[in-house]
Structure formats: C-alpha cells, structure tokens
Amino acid sequence: MTTYNWDLIERLLHEVQNGAGQSFAPRSVAEVYAAEKAAAGEPIENLDHLKTLACDYEQLLLLRGYIQPRGDDEGSTGNNFSLTPRGSSLLSLIDSSIPGNDHPREVLDDQEDALDERTFDEVASKAQIA
C-alpha cells in the first residue's frame, strides 16, 4: 500500500495554484514545510528526504495528470505548472483549511495507491468522501 505525505502534497498543489510568473521549486516548498513544522514544535523528517520526496511528488503529479505545464497565457516561466481538474479535485479533498479534511485523507489512505488515476477518479467521484 502506498502512503503519501498529504500535507506536503497540499503545499505543492497550493504552490502550483499560486505559481503564475514563478518557477516551481519543490525543494524550497519542502524547506518551508519543514521550518514551519519545526517552529510549531512538531517532529520533522530528514530535510534531504523531504526535498527528495517533494521532487518525486512533482514528477508523480505531472505524470498522473494532477498538474500540467503552465501555458504562456497563464504566466508560464517555462518551469512552472497549473492544476488540472484532477489536481483541483485532489486539492479540494486534502486542503487543511477546509473543516473535515481528515475524512477524505483517511479514505484516500485506505486505497492501494490513492494517486493512481483510475483509483483517484473513482474515489473522488463519490459524494460521501467530502
């Protein structure tokens, strides 16, 4: 069973969502994530591991259709992305600013591979997940 760091994925997706005119830097996102967790007194994983994981997630999200290269008309820098409808759906399910986001994350965690395209599309289409 594949497990994901939903907090890190959420941060990456927010960075993509707000990244017009900026190059996407997953390693920097991981650094900020780790610093904020440390400042809150929460344990953090090895920073190098988090940076590698963020880069791995970038590739996974791109290959599986959650993000796509940003078009010139959307503020492309040649090295940034935009959310696809699937990516927007994922962000809306795992967004920590939305009350009750724990249940969708739990449902996703129960899947063999929650970010597999077919699995995610099926799970996300169920009204009871949200």
Side-chain angles (χ1 to χ4, degrees):
M1 185 168 281
T2 305
T3 58
Y4 293 102
N5 180 329
W6 297 119
D7 290 334
L8 182 56
I9 290 174
E10 175 189 355
R11 288 176 174 270
L12 291 168
L13 293 174
H14 276 297
E15 186 73 16
V16 166
Q17 184 178 48
N18 301 318
Q22 304 171 50
S23 292
F24 185 64
R27 295 174 63 81
S28 295
V29 173
E31 287 177 1
V32 171
Y33 168 69
E36 288 177 1
K37 284 186 67 145
E42 297 177 36
I44 60 165
E45 298 175 50
N46 175 286
L47 183 57
D48 288 333
H49 171 73
L50 279 175
K51 289 178 179 180
T52 299
L53 187 59
C55 291
D56 291 346
Y57 284 162
E58 173 190 14
Q59 286 301 309
L60 181 74
L61 294 168
L62 180 62
L63 292 173
R64 294 193 178 176
Y66 293 90
I67 61 176
Q68 63 190 5
R70 189 176 289 275
D72 290 337
D73 60 330
E74 300 176 315
S76 176
T77 63
N79 188 28
N80 61 355
F81 304 98
S82 61
L83 294 177
T84 64
R86 181 180 288 136
S88 293
S89 179
L90 175 59
L91 182 55
S92 70
L93 288 176
I94 66 171
D95 195 329
S96 60
S97 68
I98 299 172
N101 78 314
D102 288 343
H103 177 68
R105 288 180 180 207
E106 291 168 4
V107 171
L108 291 170
D109 283 339
D110 288 341
Q111 307 309 306
E112 184 67 31
D113 182 352
L115 295 182
D116 172 78
E117 302 95 310
R118 280 184 247 135
T119 301
F120 178 79
D121 291 347
E122 179 181 325
V123 170
S125 70
K126 297 179 180 175
Q128 66 269 26
I129 190 172

